[in-house]
């Protein structure tokens, strides 16, 4: 195994593009190193991104949007009051990952690029309408977060491509988001179902909404029917019922040691309703 | 040894800091993997990926050719003339002709680094012929199930049962049919529990050094190093005393470290390589290839009159203990109805082999499963007849003189006292929130004595060193020091207690069977008394009076009365300071297999909230009431109560071994083998009841095991009440609860 510490994204991409074996980027390493030690993935080239200038920066841009570096750890996000005020749902998704120790290392980008359908930070990013900058041997592009994962452990990043930053849109007025996951315990577990809701209100009425589900399909997914159920409503019982039905209908889960198909499908609806209520309260300034 | 008349204590019952605490919180304490030796090699084990397979060929040539590899061992490197349990132990340690479960050891490598050893292990080529496998206990008993090992059954098994049934027991008394006929309500239910792991945080680890001359040393993490010595020397064909075993500090065991897994392999590697070899299990190896407890399939039927008197009870327990005989069905049958005074009772037990690792002891081995079934039926009877569950238990509770369901009459026991204390506890009458249920259950463990040897020596300044052979797994050094201090009349801080190696004392059984504080404690008290006799004699000699005329009190020799003479008392330090010139070192020693151990009853109260939309259970309040006999160090007694409850809650709610159809373990990491984390549990309240054990000088009963027996039924009953459906299958995981709430059954 070769361990690289490139000082620029160009170098990192160059190493990745020319590598012939198994290649991994090393952000927090909380997936990569665990997989290495458990004999699941033994990279031939391990490319540490943490020596690239700027990767630990978290910046609010003049238009109110946010740029989050690819090595920003969860603990740094949960100590940024302005970020939490704008995107509490995104931050709570990140904050649910692991323990205090893991929070000191784990990153949004790593959570996304690890490709787990159950990644806790991913639904929140999708619901927020986040995108990532991707750089590769053939240049750079902006990609919506929901277009990155393609299946368990797989992403749409081509050989040599890497994420260089995460972008969260400007929050704007009267918006709120929330993320909830179901685990049988309270901590240190993997989501059996995850759901993020992001919405905007005008008075009591929901004017915009995005709903994303995790752990109920091969990838985290944006559920447009669920958003449709919310938009135009005052989050009344009928809207909540339609939301749950749409969320459950979007599920395509597996039966495994963590949960059954019928359980995941039902709980997706339950969490969608609960997350929507929290997001709605936040959007209305009720917190 | 009889109960002392002494009831006023100066040190016993206080809560000083444990002597090992500072080292443990500062990282100085040395655990199994913290040992190093010059020239040390590292071992790695080659494990079967198949649940059941014939080993056709093992080719280690590529591994041996790797730079840094110093030895490879297989079954051929172990003793060949073993029988019975020793053969089973060896077969489990390293496979012979067949591999019997996913993770079964097949070969092992020693190399100059852990990484090289791990890589070399992958180069050992094993050719397998895969055989059909079975992991479920009911499936393993059914016609046509794959046979794990023909001829493994003993004479107890009736004709016509599947060869996987290897032991059978059946006993009872009275007329159960007449008893059921006299009942106003009879409840019969089937129950199932899954296998669970002790979940100790420290993986098995050892450092072995064995020469070609058959002399060796072993450092290892264990609950009992004399057991390790006997097992390892048998498996390697050595003389018992030629191997010196030292127990490291221990990061949990709960019964799972009373046997051997990797220690014989490390010794064989060391003998083959001529160097010390360190071997450490990964978490995945621990879960796959150490000794979880049995899973069980059970049927319990009980009858009760409308005023709460039990009229009859029957139980059938089918338990799998992995690919070897040994599932604890004898304990399950024995203790299932141990709380109740029954005239008509009948038990049946089946010990069944499956393609799983050889089960090992786990805290009150076998008792929690039986309690789950019996206490659940008891709860349903109370519910059906509109009786208070504590009152109904009091109506039937055993007490001193009651003939137990398994035969002998009880000596003084504290079930009634725990029930009364539970009833009086504010928890029992506290109002319940919405979607919350309350469960009550009692449980028992009879505890144990076992071979015990301790020593005590007085230092030149009058401080005292104590050597015991029971590893300190839950604060026992503090308890030993308190008992020595109390007996000698010297401060707690003046006593040092060490867990010494196998070359320093006679044979000691492990810290198992809730025996350490009872048996080693008793021996420490007797060792101290022997030292007191010698100390008094030195004083008597100095004063020129008879030894009988000396009284030992408050850490000093006193003339026993005016007739004995008027002498200034001699303290332990005074006598110790001169002992070199008054007759030499002063020590005490005690060897015994004490039989006066006394069982411990407990009663638990738990409130569980169930989220009706997701089926998630949250334990919101928990109270343990248990009889300690005498709590030597109350904090560590409470710790045992809380630990038992915590493990039982995990067993009830989320823990389980999950095998796929090919017999591969699906959850061999803590991410998916879900023990409760700290935030899953409320503060567990404790009430110590003290009904002294007549068989210990200070009244001690063991307290380690009883605490895991009531939580399974208590939690299950609480959830059953919260959702209005009887939960008869563990773990009571959210998907199962949600199905029950939705009326879809509980499978
Ligand atoms: C104890 C523990 C608990 C955990 N609990 C949770 C949990 O509750 N929820 C959850 O979702 N996860 C959990 N995880 C998994 C893990 O912590 C998260 O997925 C984390 O966000 C990964 O981030 P990282 O920076 O450590 O990623 P790394 O391990 O560094 O990388 C992960 C993947 O991302 C790729 N990658 C990294 N950076 C880039 C880049 N710039 N461009 C392209 N690819 C890149 C790597 O190649 C690798 O495949 C847990 C892990 C542990 C050890």
């Amino acid at each position: 195994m070769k361990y690289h510490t490139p000082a620029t994204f160009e170098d990192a991409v160059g190493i990745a593009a020319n590598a012939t074996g198994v290649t991994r980027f090393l952000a927090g390493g909380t997936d990569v190193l665990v997989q290495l030690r458990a004999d699941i993935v033994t990279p031939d080239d391990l490319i540490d991104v943490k020596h690239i200038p700027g990767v630990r920066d978290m910046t609010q841009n003049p238009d109110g949007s946010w740029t989050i570096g690819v090595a920003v750890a969860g603990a740094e996000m949960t100590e940024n009051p302005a970020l939490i005020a704008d995107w509490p749902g995104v931050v709570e998704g990140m904050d649910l990952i692991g323990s205090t120790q893991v929070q000191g290392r784990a990153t949004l980008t790593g959570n996304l690029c690890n490709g787990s359908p159950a990644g806790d930070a991913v639904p929140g990013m999708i619901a927020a309408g986040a995108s990532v900058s991707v750089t590769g041997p053939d240049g750079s592009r902006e990609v919506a977060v929901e277009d990155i994962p393609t299946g368990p452990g797989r992403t749409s990043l081509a050989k040599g491509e890497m994420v260089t930053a995460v972008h969260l849109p400007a929050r704007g007025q009267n918006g709120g988001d929330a993320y909830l996951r179901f685990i049988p315990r309270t901590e240190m577990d993997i989501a059996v179902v995850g759901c993020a809701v992001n919405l905007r209100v005008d008075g009591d009425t929901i004017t915009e909404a995005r709903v994303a589900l995790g752990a109920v399909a091969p990838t985290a997914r944006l559920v447009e029917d669920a958003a449709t159920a919310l938009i135009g409503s005052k989050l009344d019982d009928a809207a909540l019922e339609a939301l749950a039905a749409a969320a459950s209908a979007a599920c395509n889960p597996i039966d495994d040691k963590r949960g059954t198909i019928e359980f995941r499908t039902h709980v997706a609806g339950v969490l969608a309703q609960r997350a929507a209520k929290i997001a709605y309260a936040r959007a209305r300034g009720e917190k | 040894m009889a109960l002392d008349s002494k009831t006023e204590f100066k040190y016993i019952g206080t809560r000083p800091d444990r002597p090992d605490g500072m080292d443990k919180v500062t990282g100085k304490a040395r655990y199994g993997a913290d040992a190093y030796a010059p020239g040390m090699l590292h071992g790695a084990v080659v494990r079967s990926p198949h649940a059941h397979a014939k080993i056709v060929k093992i080719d280690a040539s590529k591994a041996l050719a790797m730079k840094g590899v110093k030895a490879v061992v297989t079954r051929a490197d172990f003793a060949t003339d073993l029988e019975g349990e020793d053969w089973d132990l060896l077969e489990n340690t390293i496979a012979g002709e067949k591999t019997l479960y996913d993770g079964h050891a097949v070969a092992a490598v020693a190399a100059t680094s852990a990484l090289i050893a791990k890589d070399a292990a992958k180069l050992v080529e094993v050719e397998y012929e895969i055989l059909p496998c079975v992991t479920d206990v009911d499936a393993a008993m059914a016609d046509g199930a794959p046979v794990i090992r023909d001829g493994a059954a003993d004479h107890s098994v009736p004709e016509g049962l599947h060869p996987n049934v290897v032991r059978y027991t059946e006993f009872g008394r009275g007329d159960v049919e007449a008893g059921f006929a006299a009942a106003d309500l009879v409840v019969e239910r089937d129950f199932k529990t899954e296998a669970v792991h002790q979940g100790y945080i420290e993986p098995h680890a050892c450092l072995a050094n064995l020469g070609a001359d058959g002399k060796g040393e072993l450092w290892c993490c264990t609950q009992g190093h004399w057991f390790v010595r006997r097992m390892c020397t048998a498996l390697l064909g050595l003389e018992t005393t030629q191997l010196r075993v030292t127990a490291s500090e221990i990061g949990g065991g709960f019964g799972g470290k009373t046997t051997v897994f990797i220690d014989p392999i490390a010794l064989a590697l060391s003998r083959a390589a001529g160097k010390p070899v360190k071997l450490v299990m990964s978490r995945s190896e621990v879960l796959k290839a150490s000794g979880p407890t049995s899973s069980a399939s059970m049927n319990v039927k009980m009858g009760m009159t409308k005023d709460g008197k039990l009229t009859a009870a029957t139980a059938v327990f089918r338990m799998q203990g992995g690919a070897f005989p040994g599932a604890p069905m004898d304990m399950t049958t024995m203790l299932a109805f141990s709380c109740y005074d029954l005239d008509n009772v009948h038990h049946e037990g089946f010990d069944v082999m499956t393609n799983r690792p050889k089960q090992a002891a786990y805290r009150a081995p076998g008792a929690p499963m039986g309690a789950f079934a019996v206490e659940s039926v008891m709860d349903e009877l109370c519910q059906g007849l509109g009786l208070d569950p504590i009152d109904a238990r009091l109506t039937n509770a055993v007490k001193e003189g009651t003939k137990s369901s398994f035969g002998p009459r009880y000596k003084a026991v504290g079930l009634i006292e725990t029930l009364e204390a539970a009833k009086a506890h504010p928890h029992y009458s506290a109002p319940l929130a919405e979607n919350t249920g309350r469960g009550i259950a009692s449980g028992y463990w009879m505890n144990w004595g076992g071979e015990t040897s301790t020593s005590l020596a007085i230092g030149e300044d009058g401080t005292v060193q104590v050597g015991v052979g029971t590893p300190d797994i839950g604060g026992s050094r503090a308890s030993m020091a308190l008992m020595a201090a109390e007996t000698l009349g010297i401060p707690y801080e003046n006593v040092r207690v060490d867990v010494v190696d196998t070359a320093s004392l006679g044979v000691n059984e492990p810290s198992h069977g809730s025996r350490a504080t009872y048996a080693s404690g008793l021996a420490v008290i007797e060792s101290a008394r022997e030292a007191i006799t010698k100390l008094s004699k030195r004083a008597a000699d100095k004063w020129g009076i008879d030894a009988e005329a000396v009284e030992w009190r408050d850490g000093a020799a006193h003339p026993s009365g005016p007739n004995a003479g008027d002498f200034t008392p001699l303290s332990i330090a005074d006598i110790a300071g001169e002992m070199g010139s008054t007759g030499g070192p002063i020590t005490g020693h005690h060897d015994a297999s004490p039989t006066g151990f006394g069982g411990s009853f407990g009663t638990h109260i738990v409130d569980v909230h169930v989220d009706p939309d997701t089926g998630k259970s949250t334990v919101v309040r928990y109270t343990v009431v248990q009889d300690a006999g005498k709590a030597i160090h109350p904090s560590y007694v409470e710790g045992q109560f809380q630990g038992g409850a915590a493990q039982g809650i995990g067993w009830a709610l989320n823990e389980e071994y999950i095998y796929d159809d090919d017999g591969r373990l699906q959850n061999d990491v803590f991410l998916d083998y879900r023990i409760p984390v700290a935030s899953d549990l409320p503060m567990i309240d404790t009430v110590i009841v003290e009904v002294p054990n007549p068989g210990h000088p200070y009244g001690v009963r063991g307290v380690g095991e009883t605490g895991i027996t009531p939580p399974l039924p208590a939690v299950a009953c609480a959830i059953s009440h919260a959702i209005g459906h009887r939960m008869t299958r563990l773990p009571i995981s959210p998907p199962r609860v949600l199905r029950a709430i939705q009326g879809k059954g509980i499978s």
Side-chain angles (χ1 to χ4, degrees):
Chain A
M1 182 168 68
K2 273 181 276 175
Y3 172 70
H4 309 270
T5 54
T8 63
F9 284 117
E10 291 65 39
D11 287 352
V13 164
I15 296 164
N18 291 321
T20 50
V22 178
T23 307
R24 286 290 183 276
F25 294 100
L26 185 71
T30 59
D31 281 313
V32 168
L33 299 180
V34 173
Q35 290 162 10
L36 171 68
R37 293 196 55 166
D39 267 341
I40 298 168
V41 180
T42 308
D44 298 298
D45 290 279
L46 188 59
I47 307 167
D48 193 338
V49 302
K50 292 190 291 296
H51 297 258
I52 300 170
V55 292
R56 305 289 294 259
D57 295 346
M58 215 177 339
T59 321
Q60 183 156 28
N61 304 306
D63 66 351
S65 68
W66 288 84
T67 303
I68 299 175
V70 293
V72 171
E76 296 170 277
M77 293 173 61
T78 51
E79 289 187 10
N80 187 324
L83 180 67
I84 296 171
D86 277 5
W87 293 107
V90 173
V91 177
E92 70 201 356
M94 191 64 212
D95 188 34
L96 281 173
I97 292 173
S99 55
T100 304
Q101 294 91 326
V102 171
Q103 280 290 312
R105 307 291 289 182
T107 66
L108 277 180
T109 304
N111 195 241
L112 175 63
C113 297
N114 184 52
S116 163
D120 279 308
V122 182
M125 287 194 278
I126 294 176
S131 62
V132 292
S133 300
V134 173
T135 295
D138 303 326
S140 299
R141 55 195 178 109
E142 291 293 306
V143 185
V145 166
E146 57 268 33
D147 293 332
I148 293 290
T150 54
R154 292 199 314 272
T155 68
S156 58
L157 299 175
K159 182 173 162 60
E161 278 192 326
M162 69 181 294
V163 172
T164 58
V166 178
H167 307 286
L168 293 170
R171 171 68 277 184
Q173 294 302 303
N174 304 321
D177 72 334
Y179 174 75
L180 291 174
R181 70 170 177 186
F182 183 87
I183 54 172
R185 295 181 288 186
T186 49
E187 286 280 355
M188 302 305 289
D189 221 323
I190 190 160
V192 178
V193 181
C195 181
V197 175
N198 172 31
L199 48 79
R200 194 182 308 285
V201 294
D202 181 359
D204 291 345
T205 306
I206 298 171
T207 56
E208 293 169 27
R210 284 171 69 89
V211 178
L213 287 173
V216 293
T219 66
R221 52 169 60 169
L222 184 66
V223 186
E224 281 169 11
D225 289 350
T228 309
L230 290 174
I231 294 169
S233 82
K234 298 187 164 80
L235 205 63
D236 46 85
D237 288 350
L240 284 168
E241 231 165 83
L243 168 67
S248 294
C251 295
N252 176 23
I254 50 168
D255 259 329
D256 73 356
K257 59 197 168 191
R258 293 171 186 150
T260 57
I261 292 173
E262 70 172 349
F263 180 79
R264 290 182 147 120
T265 306
H266 176 82
V267 172
V270 174
L271 290 195
Q273 293 180 335
R274 292 180 181 177
K277 287 181 189 166
I278 299 169
Y280 187 69
R282 285 175 176 164
R284 288 155 54 88
E286 292 163 10
K287 296 293 157 192
Chain B
M1 187 183 310
L3 185 66
D4 243 33
S5 50
K6 183 166 175 147
T7 49
E8 291 294 311
F9 296 103
K10 186 163 181 195
Y11 301 104
I12 283 173
T14 62
R15 301 171 184 250
D17 286 347
R18 59 201 290 164
D20 48 310
M22 184 72 100
D23 283 357
K24 283 181 177 162
V25 298
T26 56
K28 248 171 75 183
R30 294 202 313 146
Y31 289 86
D34 293 327
Y36 302 87
M40 178 177 94
L41 304 176
H42 298 261
V45 178
V46 181
R47 295 186 180 277
S48 169
H50 307 297
H52 198 191
K54 213 172 148 219
I55 300 174
V56 180
K57 199 171 89 189
I58 302 175
D59 180 356
S61 54
K62 285 189 186 138
L64 281 164
M66 200 171 152
K67 190 168 183 295
V69 173
K70 301 295 179 191
V72 174
V73 296
T74 62
R75 178 64 170 268
D77 296 278
F78 293 84
T80 50
D81 54 351
L82 303 179
E83 289 177 355
E85 176 63 11
D86 281 345
W87 184 87
D88 287 350
L89 259 181
L90 178 56
E91 180 79 356
N92 187 47
T93 299
I94 190 156
E97 288 167 13
K98 293 203 294 183
T99 69
L100 299 168
Y101 54 89
D102 175 20
H104 197 173
V106 173
V109 180
T112 49
S113 81
L115 270 181
I116 295 175
K118 199 173 153 191
D119 285 345
K122 290 179 201 155
L123 293 180
V124 175
E125 290 170 3
V126 187
E127 193 185 317
Y128 296 103
E129 183 187 314
I130 297 173
L131 302 169
C133 69
V134 61
T135 55
D136 176 74
V137 61
D138 291 319
M141 293 175 74
D143 281 349
V147 176
I148 313 294
R149 184 165 52 258
D150 231 334
D154 73 12
H155 59 274
S156 65
V157 180
E159 289 282 314
L161 290 177
H162 192 285
N164 290 341
V165 180
V166 287
R167 288 186 309 143
Y168 174 79
T169 184
E170 187 263 302
F171 65 99
R173 65 165 175 263
D175 181 343
V176 291
E177 286 318 317
F180 287 129
D184 292 308
L185 180 62
V186 175
V187 170
E188 179 176 9
R189 288 271 190 186
D190 292 323
F191 297 88
K192 232 169 157 164
T193 63
E194 293 302 332
V196 294
H197 195 270
Q198 298 82 353
Y200 34 80
I201 291 304
E202 187 191 9
H204 299 266
C206 65
L207 173 60
N209 201 350
L210 178 59
D213 58 357
K215 293 184 171 58
E217 290 181 341
L218 178 70
W219 159 275
C220 65
C221 171
T222 178
Q223 287 174 248
H225 32 313
W226 277 266
F227 264 33
V228 170
R229 183 180 76 172
R230 179 174 57 69
M231 293 173 183
C232 288
T233 52
L235 270 48
L236 285 137
L238 305 172
E239 283 169 20
T240 311
T241 51
Q242 292 306 324
L243 181 68
R244 182 168 71 99
V245 185
T246 308
S248 71
E249 287 297 339
I250 175 167
F254 312 106
K257 291 177 182 166
T258 55
T259 184
V260 295
F261 302 104
I262 54 171
D263 315 77
I265 296 179
L267 285 162
L269 284 169
S270 174
R271 181 165 63 184
K275 299 259 188 188
V277 175
K278 179 164 165 175
L279 196 47
V280 180
M281 267 184 164
S282 67
R283 180 64 56 193
S284 155
E285 288 179 293
V286 170
L287 286 168
K288 277 184 173 168
S290 63
T293 189
S294 292
S295 55
S297 159
M298 313 178 276
N299 174 280
V300 166
K301 181 177 176 184
M302 296 167 78
M304 190 182 263
T305 64
K306 55 186 184 312
D307 49 2
K309 183 76 193 125
L310 289 169
T311 58
T314 61
V316 181
F317 300 109
R318 303 166 210 95
M319 310 184 72
Q320 68 75 28
F324 301 88
M329 55 100 178
D330 10 34
M331 288 295 133
T332 313
T333 46
M334 231 179 95
L335 301 182
F337 298 111
S338 54
C339 293
Y340 303 120
D341 185 356
L342 287 162
D343 293 330
N344 307 304
V345 58
H346 187 259
H347 319 74
E348 236 185 320
F350 298 81
D351 177 359
V352 185
M353 300 208 302
T354 61
N355 291 112
R356 296 185 184 221
K358 187 178 193 297
Q359 67 84 38
Y362 180 17
R363 214 170 191 156
M369 304 81 152
F372 168 52
V374 168
E375 291 292 274
S376 291
V377 169
M378 187 73 187
D379 189 69
E380 201 171 344
L381 285 167
C382 295
Q383 202 179 12
L385 293 167
L387 298 169
D388 175 90
I390 292 189
D391 288 343
R393 283 177 172 82
L394 280 166
T395 303
N396 298 285
V398 297
K399 54 179 187 287
E400 184 167 3
T402 308
K403 193 168 163 60
S404 65
S405 55
F406 51 97
R409 289 188 188 279
Y410 284 104
K411 295 181 283 183
V413 287
L415 176 57
I416 288 172
E417 289 77 357
T418 68
L419 286 164
E420 284 171 347
K423 197 168 178 194
H425 195 282
H427 183 173
Y428 192 59
S429 46
L432 282 169
E434 212 189 341
N435 297 316
T436 304
R438 178 164 297 151
I440 307 294
S442 297
Y444 179 62
W445 185 251
M446 71 286 167
N447 298 334
W448 182 231
E451 279 174 285
T452 313
S453 176
T454 64
S455 71
L456 181 150
I458 316 283
E460 300 90 319
D461 58 357
T463 62
V464 168
Q465 76 193 51
V466 173
V468 298
T470 39
D472 181 355
I473 194 162
S476 59
R477 270 175 292 211
S479 300
M480 301 301 153
L482 282 168
M483 285 184 269
E486 188 75 49
T487 310
L488 288 162
I490 61 173
Y492 167 80
E493 293 72 21
N494 287 9
V495 183
R496 176 189 168 103
V497 180
D498 284 291
V499 178
V500 300
D501 65 46
T502 56
S504 306
L505 289 173
V507 173
N508 274 280
E509 272 194 34
S511 296
H512 70 169
S514 300
R515 66 177 286 277
T517 308
Y518 164 71
S520 279
L522 178 151
V524 166
I525 293 165
E526 278 303 294
S527 300
R529 287 176 175 172
E530 187 179 309
I532 288 171
T533 305
K534 293 180 186 170
L535 287 159
S536 300
K537 175 80 168 57
R538 300 284 169 102
D541 288 351
K542 183 160 180 159
W543 292 331
I545 63 175
D546 283 351
E548 291 73 48
V550 175
E551 185 188 46
W552 188 267
R553 121 172 86 82
D554 299 330
H558 299 257
S560 64
N563 292 343
D566 182 16
F567 303 104
T568 311
L570 284 169
S571 73
I572 191 167
D574 296 335
I575 300 168
E578 297 181 342
M579 67 186 169
S581 56
T582 59
I586 300 173
T587 64
H589 194 85
H590 192 73
D591 301 303
S593 289
T595 54
F597 48 92
S600 172
F601 281 96
T603 298
H604 292 197
I605 315 171
V606 58
D607 298 351
V608 182
H609 173 266
V610 179
D611 181 336
D613 299 323
T614 65
K616 179 167 172 166
S617 301
T618 306
V619 178
V620 289
R621 187 167 182 185
Y622 204 109
T623 304
V624 178
V625 186
Q626 193 184 319
D627 176 16
K630 178 73 202 167
I632 299 297
H633 192 303
S635 298
Y636 303 144
V637 170
E638 290 160 0
Q640 291 297 318
F641 289 7
Q642 292 166 326
Q647 288 187 313
I649 291 168
W651 194 342
L653 290 182
N654 284 307
E655 291 181 42
E656 63 178 316
Y657 265 55
I658 305 172
Y659 283 96
D660 69 7
D661 292 342
D662 295 329
R664 293 207 172 90
L665 184 62
Q666 297 300 293
N667 56 337
D668 61 341
V669 289
F670 273 153
L671 179 61
D672 292 310
Y673 182 85
R674 293 175 166 128
I675 61 173
V677 299
S679 53
D680 290 338
L681 301 172
M683 184 62 195
I684 294 167
D685 202 358
T686 55
V687 178
I688 301 175
V689 167
E690 293 186 325
V691 177
N693 168 23
H696 182 279
Y698 299 151
V700 168
R701 296 173 192 274
V703 296
E705 289 168 289
T706 299
I708 199 175
T709 300
L712 278 56
V715 169
C717 292
I719 295 173
S720 300
H721 295 311
I723 65 172
H725 296 269
R726 183 61 51 181
M727 300 308 284
T728 54
R729 191 160 182 183
L730 302 187
I732 311 176
S733 59
R736 238 174 226 152
V737 175
L738 192 61
R739 276 185 68 88
I741 292 172
Q742 294 171 339
K744 294 181 185 162
I746 54 155
S747 66

